[in-house]
């Protein structure tokens, strides 16, 4: 049996350059980045992982920001916490879906320490920010020493607890485009205990045409119903170009149910989660539509 040692070398970084240098030096070693530590500490405490090096990025205050620009949209630095997103006045004004999502992430204590980027990097399939970021067409900026790349939110998580972040890389920013006129978005999740991970969650973004009659664009993100948060592309196609009604949303929900792959667990069967996702999609789509009509 492999002996798990709890010893590790602690490497605190104070600048992005320093962190990227450390990542470059240790990219072939068994290391882990720590930000707020809310998921990492739990995994270490339960001996699920025992990294030899811990690269601490909590001191990268340069990445602790939430900036909005009408042209560029919203930029969330990798050290921005759930709580700062929840409490941001500009986010509430421009992207209320994100504040509403944050209100039900874990506890206030966890939201105070936990970063949004760290939550995404932990890559739980039911991660709350996943579906809204897919609906909002977000991208994640990933940096390594001397290089940068961006990945679409729906391609960031690759599998259970696995992401597009490769050894030597770290997420530095989440980018969300400015929303076009006549756009509404909403998210909800269902969990058995308030603030717990979702059994299923749904985010819908709807953009109506100039006359506010037909759907010009739709984006749907679903959580907890596959190995990663998913984009329901076929369901989006059901809505595009048509006048959205409750019947059309029900049709889209039926299609979405064929695009997901929930697994059974003690908290619910796969069939239950599939039904739940469809129900949430219908409800969320209705609110997104109302918001688009008022926008
Ligand atoms: C009791 C409890 C309940 C929770 N409930 C929910 C919930 O309902 N919904 C939800 O969405 N989340 C929930 N969470 C998860 C929580 O939101 C995350 O633990 C937290 O946001 C992770 O951020 P962190 O900064 O603490 O990351 P850390 O714990 O420090 O890191 C998490 C992982 O991400 C990696 N990492 C961190 N930052 C970066 C980066 N910039 N680049 C690359 N890799 C990075 C780390 O190496 C590690 O693998 C819950 C957590 C707890 C403890």
């Amino acid at each position: 049996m492999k002996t798990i040692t709890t010893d590790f070398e602690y490497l605190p970084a104070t600048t992005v350059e320093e962190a990227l240098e450390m990542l470059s030096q240790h990219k072939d070693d068994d290391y882990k980045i720590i930000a707020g530590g809310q998921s990492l500490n739990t995994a270490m405490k339960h001996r699920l992982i025992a990294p030899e090096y811990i690269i601490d990025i909590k001191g990268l205050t340069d990445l602790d920001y939430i900036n909005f620009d009408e042209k560029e949209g919203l930029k969330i630095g990798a050290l921005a916490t759930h709580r700062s997103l929840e409490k941001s006045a500009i986010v509430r004004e421009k992207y209320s879906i994100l504040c509403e999502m944050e209100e039900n992430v874990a506890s206030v204590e966890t939201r105070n320490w936990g970063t949004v980027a760290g939550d995404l990097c932990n890559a739980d399939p039911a991660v709350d920010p996943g579906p809204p970021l897919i609906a909002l067409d977000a991208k994640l900026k990933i940096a390594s020493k001397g290089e940068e790349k961006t990945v679409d939110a729906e391609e960031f998580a690759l599998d259970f607890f696995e992401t597009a972040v490769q050894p030597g890389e770290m997420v530095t920013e989440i980018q969300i485009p400015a929303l076009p006129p006549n756009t509404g978005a909403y998210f909800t999740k269902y969990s058995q205990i308030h603030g717990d991970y979702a059994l299923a969650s749904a985010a819908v973004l709807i953009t109506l045409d100039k006359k506010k009659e037909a759907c010009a664009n739709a984006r749907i993100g679903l959580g907890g119903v596959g190995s990663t948060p998913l984009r329901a592309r076929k369901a989006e196609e059901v809505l595009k170009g048509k006048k959205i009604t409750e019947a059309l949303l029900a049709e889209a929900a039926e299609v979405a149910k064929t695009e997901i792959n929930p697994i059974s667990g003690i908290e619910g069967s796969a069939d239950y989660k599939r039904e739940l996702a469809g129900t949430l999609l219908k409800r969320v789509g209705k609110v997104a539509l109302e918001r688009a009509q008022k926008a």
Side-chain angles (χ1 to χ4, degrees):
M1 200 171 98
K2 194 184 165 204
T3 310
I4 293 186
T5 163
T6 50
D7 290 343
F8 55 84
E9 194 174 326
Y10 174 69
L11 303 167
T14 49
T15 64
V16 176
E17 290 66 33
E18 202 183 348
L20 295 180
E21 183 60 46
M22 288 173 178
L23 288 167
S24 162
Q25 277 176 19
H26 291 285
K27 70 173 187 229
D28 298 322
D29 297 329
D30 181 6
Y31 78 86
K32 276 284 178 189
I33 292 173
I34 191 166
Q38 297 302 291
S39 289
L40 192 80
N41 286 345
T42 310
M44 288 178 70
K45 204 163 70 186
H46 291 291
R47 306 279 197 269
L48 297 172
I49 53 167
E52 285 171 35
Y53 300 90
I54 300 267
I55 299 176
D56 187 352
I57 62 167
K58 188 70 177 169
L60 307 187
T61 45
D62 285 5
L63 295 186
D64 185 3
Y65 59 84
I66 295 173
N67 295 332
F68 176 76
D69 176 84
E70 290 291 350
K71 247 173 117 181
E72 301 260 308
L74 188 68
K75 297 200 166 153
I76 304 168
L79 267 297
T81 62
H82 287 293
R83 189 68 166 162
S84 59
L85 193 62
E86 178 191 350
K87 291 289 168 193
S88 162
I90 192 71
V91 176
R92 198 163 285 276
E93 184 192 328
K94 302 285 181 183
Y95 304 87
S96 60
I97 178 177
L98 293 177
C99 299
E100 292 154 357
M101 174 273 293
E102 288 294 357
E103 284 161 5
N104 295 307
V105 171
S107 60
V108 173
E109 292 82 355
T110 296
R111 297 206 292 278
N112 271 330
W113 274 96
T115 58
V116 182
D119 205 7
L120 294 164
C121 290
N122 184 52
D124 189 293
V127 58
D128 287 336
L133 291 178
I134 289 173
L136 293 169
D137 196 11
K139 295 187 188 320
L140 284 97
K141 195 156 102 180
I142 300 173
S144 58
K145 193 181 168 188
E147 277 179 51
E148 245 176 34
K149 65 183 182 189
T150 51
V151 175
D152 289 343
E154 65 257 37
E155 273 150 29
F156 180 71
L158 303 178
D159 207 339
F160 292 99
F161 305 103
E162 193 186 326
T163 71
V165 178
Q166 298 300 313
E169 296 180 339
M170 64 180 273
V171 170
T172 52
E173 190 177 77
I174 301 163
Q175 305 171 334
I176 305 175
L179 299 182
N182 306 341
T183 295
Y186 190 55
F187 165 82
T188 200
K189 73 172 182 182
Y190 178 78
S191 56
Q192 283 163 329
I193 301 169
H194 178 80
D196 211 348
Y197 278 108
L199 262 69
S201 62
V204 176
L205 174 141
I206 291 172
T207 302
L208 294 173
D209 63 6
K210 281 190 186 144
K211 291 182 180 169
K212 293 194 175 181
E213 280 169 6
C215 171
N217 191 26
R219 292 183 63 98
I220 301 170
L222 299 171
V225 285
S227 57
T228 67
L230 298 166
R231 182 170 171 201
R233 288 174 188 271
K234 289 181 189 159
E236 291 172 2
E237 292 308 317
V238 172
L239 302 178
K240 284 183 197 169
K242 300 190 199 110
K243 181 177 165 56
I244 299 181
T245 59
E246 285 197 31
L248 194 67
L249 284 170
E251 201 184 310
E254 285 307 309
V255 171
K257 278 154 62 177
T258 67
E259 297 187 79
I260 58 182
N261 193 17
I263 53 169
S264 295
I266 47 166
E267 74 292 351
S269 67
D271 285 346
Y272 172 72
K273 290 180 191 173
R274 185 174 282 106
E275 285 306 312
L276 181 60
T279 302
L280 295 179
L281 196 162
K282 281 186 275 183
R283 288 185 192 162
V284 167
K286 208 172 152 195
V287 179
L289 176 65
E290 284 161 10
R291 289 183 171 185
Q293 282 160 342
K294 286 184 197 148

